[in-house]
Structures are given as C-alpha cells and as structure tokens.
Amino acid sequence: MKILGFQNGHDVSYCVLENGIPIIHEELERHIRLKEPKGNGLRYAIEQLKDVSDIRHFIMGNKSGWNSKSSDSIKDYYKSTKLGFEEGANGKSEKIMSDTILKNKGGYHETGHHQAHAANAFYTSPYEEALILVIDGGGYEFIPNTNEQQMIDTAFTVWKGKGNKITPIEVKPNDTLNIGSAWSMYTKKIFGLSAGYPKGHQAGTVMAMACVGDKNKYWEDFYEAFMQGGGKQGKKLLENCNKYKEIATKSEQDTFDIAAGLQYATERVLQPIISNYIKTHNPINICFSGGVVLNSVIMGKMFDWTNNKNIFVDPVPYDAGLAIGAARYAYHHILENPRIKAHTKNSSPYLGVLYDKDNIRKALDRDDCIIQQASDEEILDLLSQQNIISVFHGGAESGRRALGNRSILADPRDSNMKSLINKKVKHRQWYRPFAPSILREDVDKWFIRDIDSPYMSFVLPFKEEVKDKIPAVVHLDGTGRLQTVTKESNNWYYNFIKKWKNKTGVPILLNTSFNDREPIVETPEHAINCFMGTDIDYLYFSDYNILVSKK
Ligand SMILES: [Fe+2]
C-alpha cells in the first residue's frame, strides 16, 4: 500500500511510503539548482513520479484545520474548500489526486506542521516510546484538547510517542518562544547572510563564526529578546537587529563575538526548558525535529543537558521532512498500522532515485573529460596522495548533509586540506569546518562520547590525544560534526572507510557535500557539471567503478 506525503511552502518536497517504509523522498531544490524554493508539493510529486495510479492515500504535511476525509466525501470537500493550490496546472494535479483516491478507495488527509515534524522524528526512530520535541521557526498546529479543529501558530511543541501513536503534550504559541524565526532575522539583518531562497539558510555560517567569538560579550541582549517573545515582531528582537548590525561593521572579531553571543543565548534559553521537560516526563528516549535542531552544536550538548538520554534526530528535521512525516503519520497514526521493526531500511536517509549506467554514460558524453575504470583501492590511493575526490553513489541522501552518496572526500590527516578544498571547490570562509565520517565502532577512540550520529546531527569534542592526527576535520574549538557509518547504513561507504583504515590506521575520511554553494548534486549531469566547474581532482561513480578526470 502506497502513501504520498507532500508539503507546500518552502523546502517543497514529496515522499512515497510503501508499506510504511519511505522508498523515495525528493526536494525541488535539487532539481532547479536553487536552494529552498517555495512551491506546490502535490504538483511537484505528480510531475516527478509521472504515474500515481497506485497511490492509495495522499497526505499534506502542513497547515489547514481539516483533518481527514474518506474518499466518499472527497469531491464535496474540493468543492467547498480551498487547499491553497493555484489555478491552472495545480487544479489538474488536484483532480488527478481526487480521481486516484476515488479509484483506489483511499483517502486524503492533512497534518499540522509540527505534527508532521514530530511524526517524522518518532516513526523514523527505533524507539517504542519517546518524548518528542519540535523546535523551528513556526507553522500551524492543532490546539490540543479541543473538540474543534482550531489551529495556532507555533514554533515549539512537545509530544508523546507510544507504539503507533503520537499525541501532543504542549503547543507553545509562536509569540512566547520562537528560536527559528529569531535566527533567520539575525542571520539576514545582522550578518547580511541569506535565510532562504535562492541561496539557502546560512545559519550554519553564523554557528561556525560563533566558534571563534567571545560568547560573554553580547549574549544578554539576545537572551532577553528570546525571553521577551513577540515572534518576528518582538520589540527587543527588532532592536537587536539594528543595534548589532551596527556593531558588526566595527570589526570581524565583533561579528564573531555577536555570533557567539547568539549561540550562547540560545543555549541558555533552551537548556532549562529541556531540563524541565525531562524532570516532568522522565523519558528514556527523546526525539527531536524542526529546523532549529540543525544546530548540531546544541544537539551535541543535549546529551549533557538530558543526563545522557537516548537522543534521536531525524535525517530531515527541517520542513522538507514534513512530506515524510506526514506520510508516516498517515500510515501509523491514522491508518493504525504497527511500527516498522526493520529499522535500517525504515531509517535510511538514502531516499533519492537511482540512476543507471546509461544515465551516467549520457552525462559523460562530452569531450572535455577522461573516463577510465578504477577500483575502490585505486581511489583510496588517490585520496592518500592528497587528491580531492567527489563520489556519486546510489540514490542521493535526503537532508542538508552529504552522507557518502553525494560527497566530496579527502584525506583528513593533511593540515592543508581545509584550505585546499576551499581554494579548489567550496569557496567557504576560513572559519567553517569540514566534517568527519567515521566507522561506528571507532567512535569511542576518537570522540569523548560513544554515540550514533548516522545523519551528522551532533557536534562532539574530539579526544585531546587524537586531534593532531586528523587536523582537517577538527574545528577551531576541537570539535567535529561526525557521521557514524555502519555496514547496515551504507555498505559501500562503510567498506570504503574500512579499507582506508587498513591503509592508513585512521577510520575517518573528510566528507563535505558535493556542490559548490548550489544545492547538493542530484543527477549524474549535475555531478559532471559541478566537477568540471571546480578544481575537484577526480569524480568517481562508485556503483560502476567509473573514474572521471579532466583533459
Ligand atoms: Fe518547520
């Protein structure tokens, strides 16, 4: 039984769930090559899938005060309600959907914004029971414990997940706490960076700056603004934008100090809130979702804040994950199917479509590159000779972080590698770190905690004694945003790093996303275009052992 989840708005995406397991999830940004576009998720899904005749249930992952309708009343529903679709082509998509539902005796459903985030975190996790926290920049959600389907704008919700159900515990009104919107405002107004279409949200750059700033200098104003609330219109928030925009022009160090203050204030606001929920509910397991949890520095500290609870962050915690969460919500909560026990498949982030050898051949049909066959061992040799190699493997990983299938790999032992990658490919600021992929079984030898981080969700300090062995992936404060790799999560990548370990004694590779500021590459054609447009040394299609170099 197939379910199509989709979501409208920014980070527009869709997901197909087959018998509860996501088999495809795509984001429009990967195709149009511009970050975080707004759009109509249903129309995008139908255009991409071409044939949706085997979909039984459709579910929209955000907004509306309307919960669930059977196929009998779907036509009346469309007559009486406006879904927010535009005229023209979108009306066509809507008709395809309603005809399909009628034919397959299925249903159309909707979730609240946070409901979909919470569902994605919990149903992706291995936990039978968990406390779920959703922290983002805001969306509409049903008010708990009311008979009418009233909705409220919220940026912070708490849920309980048990078995195949999730229930809301608390929905904080947007104007009482909104961390995501404040970060967006500050990112744009103070730092002059982008916070959405077409360059994407650059909060990560602010987080990297925070690492080289003095956190004690400016944090209090940011703390006060968070505590005062008021959403995007908060008085103190607006004051801060003006005041610190001015201060940021003084010196680069001041900009770093502001970033550090913002990060520190965010931590000081969140820590007691989180601790309180832990005290009240005493969960063993906690799931997190929402765009704010992309702040992997905070997520790394969460182990301390929660007294070492089990913590799970879903691979797509920002709004593109609403499509997956909605589909999961339909399957488990609405249709009451049991949880999926085959967790590896259920929690895989590699949800992009597969491209075959013909697709790759077609993309490589050009006269400015050299194509040869090569083994993984030969690629490892090239890596150890300080070459920067982009890899294209299987279906793309969903989410903001490259996890080995659309990655640029390099030798982490070389202290010049960071500046070399920046010069040749990424063109990032000097203070931005590159991440380590590490064999899961070696985490405790390299980091101060022994944790699972399959989606690069947590920043942890390296152990003091290993830092000088892998300088290219150690951030300026001695930390790394690790990806833990297992045979089950990515067989090829696991074996590849294992061979690297046998060769060098180091179970770590530098892994950064395969792109140059634009969205992560999706197709073989994007891959070759990015490769030819930068100074990456080699491009490796690992499924077919095809190695590409420049003429
Ligand atoms: Fe959200």
Side-chain angles (χ1 to χ4, degrees), residues 193-207:
L193 296 166
S194 150
Y197 182 80
K199 289 184 179 170
H201 205 305
Q202 295 174 321
T205 305
V206 179
M207 280 169 54

Side-chain angles (χ1 to χ4, degrees), residues 7 10-11 62 113-114 117 134-139 154-155 289-292 317-320 322:
Q7 155 261 353
H10 64 89
D11 304 325
N62 52 350
H113 186 110
H114 277 224
H117 276 313
V134 181
I135 317 167
D136 69 359
T154 179
S289 196
V292 170
Y318 58 100
D319 284 3
L322 297 173

Side-chain angles (χ1 to χ4, degrees), residues 205-225:
T205 305
V206 179
M207 280 169 54
M209 285 187 214
C211 178
V212 276
D214 174 1
K215 67 178 183 181
N216 293 310
K217 212 165 154 188
Y218 299 125
W219 72 275
E220 281 158 311
D221 275 335
F222 295 106
Y223 181 80
E224 204 185 304

Side-chain angles (χ1 to χ4, degrees), residues 38 65-66 105 129 205 356 367 439 447:
K38 283 188 179 160
W66 182 80
K105 298 190 169 49
E129 198 170 336
T205 305
D356 61 18
D367 49 20
L439 297 178
F447 287 91

Side-chain angles (χ1 to χ4, degrees), residues 131-134 156-160 167-171 277 281:
L131 188 72
I132 312 162
L133 286 110
V134 181
F156 192 106
T157 58
V158 185
W159 305 71
K160 186 189 165 115
T167 43
I169 293 173
E170 192 179 347
V171 174
Y277 286 114
H281 300 282

Side-chain angles (χ1 to χ4, degrees), residues 34-287:
L34 294 166
K35 287 181 178 174
E36 302 180 24
K38 283 188 179 160
N40 178 317
L42 177 64
R43 180 178 163 188
Y44 170 50
I46 289 172
E47 279 172 7
Q48 285 296 111
L49 293 167
K50 310 254 175 350
D51 178 10
V52 291
S53 62
D54 58 348
I55 303 281
R56 188 137 170 220
H57 290 268
F58 291 73
I59 182 158
M60 180 161 78
N62 52 350
K63 214 173 156 243
S64 177
W66 182 80
N67 201 13
S68 183
K69 295 259 171 184
S70 71
S71 53
D72 296 339
S73 54
I74 197 100
K75 275 188 175 160
D76 292 337
Y77 171 69
Y78 285 121
K79 269 181 223 154
S80 62
T81 328
K82 207 170 164 248
L83 273 175
F85 297 149
E86 295 152 30
E87 296 296 321
N90 296 327
K92 214 170 89 189
S93 307
E94 185 186 328
K95 183 160 187 328
I96 292 170
M97 172 169 74
S98 61
D99 289 350
T100 308
I101 290 169
L102 285 169
K103 180 179 76 76
N104 294 341
K105 298 190 169 49
Y108 174 78
H109 320 267
E110 291 183 350
T111 69
H113 186 110
H114 277 224
Q115 203 166 35
H117 276 313
N120 199 28
F122 182 59
Y123 298 125
T124 310
S125 85
Y127 310 141
E128 180 60 24
E129 198 170 336
L131 188 72
I132 312 162
L133 286 110
V134 181
I135 317 167
D136 69 359
Y140 279 90
E141 190 47 68
F142 301 104
I143 301 171
N145 307 318
T146 52
N147 289 330
E148 288 173 38
Q149 297 276 315
Q150 287 175 318
M151 298 195 92
I152 185 176
D153 194 7
T154 179
F156 192 106
T157 58
V158 185
W159 305 71
K160 186 189 165 115
K162 193 173 179 190
N164 63 356
K165 297 280 179 187
I166 59 164
T167 43
I169 293 173
E170 192 179 347
V171 174
K172 275 187 194 291
N174 190 327
D175 58 2
T176 57
L177 181 66
N178 191 332
I179 292 169
S181 279
W183 268 77
S184 294
M185 293 271 282
Y186 293 142
T187 299
K188 271 192 287 193
K189 301 264 156 81
I190 298 175
F191 301 97
L193 296 166
S194 150
Y197 182 80
K199 289 184 179 170
H201 205 305
Q202 295 174 321
T205 305
V206 179
M207 280 169 54
M209 285 187 214
C211 178
V212 276
D214 174 1
K215 67 178 183 181
N216 293 310
K217 212 165 154 188
Y218 299 125
W219 72 275
E220 281 158 311
D221 275 335
F222 295 106
Y223 181 80
E224 204 185 304
F226 282 130
M227 297 306 279
Q228 189 186 74
K232 285 177 197 163
Q233 295 308 314
K235 194 166 162 263
K236 184 73 184 169
L237 171 76
L238 299 171
E239 271 172 32
N240 282 348
C241 287
N242 291 328
K243 179 176 172 184
Y244 287 97
K245 186 182 168 188
E246 198 64 37
I247 295 173
T249 59
K250 283 207 274 178
S251 72
E252 191 179 45
Q253 189 56 47
D254 275 291
T255 315
F256 297 156
D257 296 343
I258 296 166
L262 172 60
Q263 175 71 22
Y264 185 48
T266 311
E267 292 171 12
R268 295 216 25 168
V269 166
L270 269 181
Q271 186 178 1
I273 295 174
I274 305 283
S275 301
N276 258 332
Y277 286 114
I278 302 304
K279 237 183 257 163
T280 312
H281 300 282
N282 197 24
I284 297 166
N285 309 309
I286 313 171
C287 296

